[in-house]
Amino acid sequence: MANQEDFFKKVVAHAKEYGFIFPSSEIYDGLAAVYDYGQLGTELKNNIKQYWWRSMVQYHENIVGIDSAIFMHPKIWKASGHVDAFNDPLIDNRDSKKRYRADVLIENHIAKIEDKIEKECAKAQKRFGDAFDRQQFVSTNARVLEHQQQIDSIRARYAECMNDNDLAGLKQMILDLGIVCPISGTRNWTDVRQFNLMFATKMGSVEGENDTLYLRPETAQGIFVNFLNVQKSGRMKVPFGIAQVGKAFRNEIVARQFIFRMREFEQMEMQFFVRPGTELEWFRYWKEERLKWHLSLGIDASNYRYHDHEKLAHYANAATDIEFLFPFGFKELEGIHSRTNFDLSRHSEFSGKKLQYFDSELNESYTPYVIETSIGVDRTFLAIFSHALKEQTLDDGSSRTLLSLPPVLAPYKAAILPLVKKDGLPEKAREIMDLLKYDYMLQYDEKDAIGRRYRRQDAIGTPFCITVDNDTLQDNNVTVRHRDTMQQERVAIDQLHTYLNQQLKPLR
Ligand code: GAP
């Protein structure tokens, strides 16, 4: 755990040091859970969005993309259920004046008991060595069983409180479990209150005269309210999808873990409209398709897992998360939800406009059912970035920091490096820059010894270093060095386009 924490600190420090991510408003001491993307972070983030957009919109004839406004009519959030139900239960400690999510306090308490189970397992593993059978141990060891029973009973009581919206019951649980504030160490808790996560603002110059507007907490509603516009103007036939990438805002009470949980973030969402009755088939299709997208980035499958929801939102008839092994454990990266016809029906009801589709094959009108795929851009960034960051010891005993980003997402595709700063090599290197810069993001670097320049590119994830040496002037060949293997090969300058295209082809 300590190692994981140290590693996570390295991720945050590396992101800042190399211009990927900065704390927002840093010279004013920052703004909690808000971050700015720097010069390299912006490139990586744009490449992630483009990779998603291509796979969803360009590769699917029946999916189109839109860009709806962040401000929307306030009734939309009433219809979607966000005004009444997009809440977190919060509790304050009177001594530290710190605010917590009641459910997170309880989850953390459960995590501590789970840690105890892990410790018992580690001890037994040491004792029994290769003969250790974890499954058998956790199902028979008295201490582990006692801990597991505690966890089960806490979870059951917690689920009951949440289902009944029993806020007093939640507070009583926190008291009964002896949970203390991590800052003050006391149990001097206020009552639990529901806290709506939407940021509210006012439109117009005179406050109070106009309706409250909300910064959208998801991009999905912009798609639902444009369903008819897109279907009619694009002559779309069910099944079809509408995709969108854009900012979303949530006033998270516990915003932490860097860009994992932010107050301003970006989502890539797609709503797929289908015939009623076919939705579970399509749900399975998108569940598989989305995992394939993640795997196409070349990250090992053991880093991903599905988490099927047992308890479903009232409007959903199936839901799953794709979880990723972040430096702090498996956590949600993407959600895939079968949302029935809930959203379109509610918007029909609240707007008075019929949001239906006439299916000419069936000769009938219906409200389509919807499968949603919803993934955070920032969370994807964190997953890819933290997985790519490595400290490597090389054969000669030296070490290097390597950011082995999928080449298709790397901020710079190649660095152009004259071996020395004389003998006409910089001029030749500049010629190569001019040849390639219209097709690839490149970096030119002539400062320091070549080894140090390679290290700089390794640390920012550049997949190829193209070195110009004295032979280049004679034979028009350059040395291409591969970031991950450090292997080098000679390539003719007039073949560089074909070579790079081949290496950087988006995976399918
Ligand atoms: N339209 C469905 C929806 O918004 P969600 O599970 O609340 O579902 C979808 O969010 C995805 O958005 C999550 O899987 C996560 O990747 C990302 N996300 C949600 N809240 C976030 C936050 N506070 N910071 C960063 N990413 C967030």
Side-chain angles (χ1 to χ4, degrees), residues 82 86 217-221 250 252 259-269 271 315 321-322 332-335 337 339 372-380:
H82 284 84
F86 196 51
E218 60 172 16
T219 60
Q221 299 305 324
R250 295 183 190 178
E252 301 280 0
I259 55 169
F260 181 81
R261 196 176 300 287
M262 303 157 89
R263 296 201 163 102
E264 173 180 343
F265 58 101
E266 252 179 301
Q267 289 184 315
M268 305 184 279
E269 298 202 296
Q271 312 295 327
Y315 53 78
D321 294 336
I322 294 178
E332 176 186 342
L333 174 58
E334 169 157 13
H337 312 119
R339 300 180 66 116
E372 167 183 76
T373 71
S374 174
I375 176 170
V377 178
D378 315 86
R379 246 177 232 192
T380 308

Side-chain angles (χ1 to χ4, degrees), residues 146-170:
E146 195 188 313
H147 291 319
Q148 192 56 52
Q149 244 172 25
Q150 261 179 308
I151 292 174
D152 294 344
S153 92
I154 296 171
R155 282 204 193 284
R157 192 171 160 196
Y158 169 67
E160 209 178 303
C161 290
M162 292 301 273
N163 282 341
D164 301 346
N165 199 18
D166 178 4
L167 301 183
L170 272 184

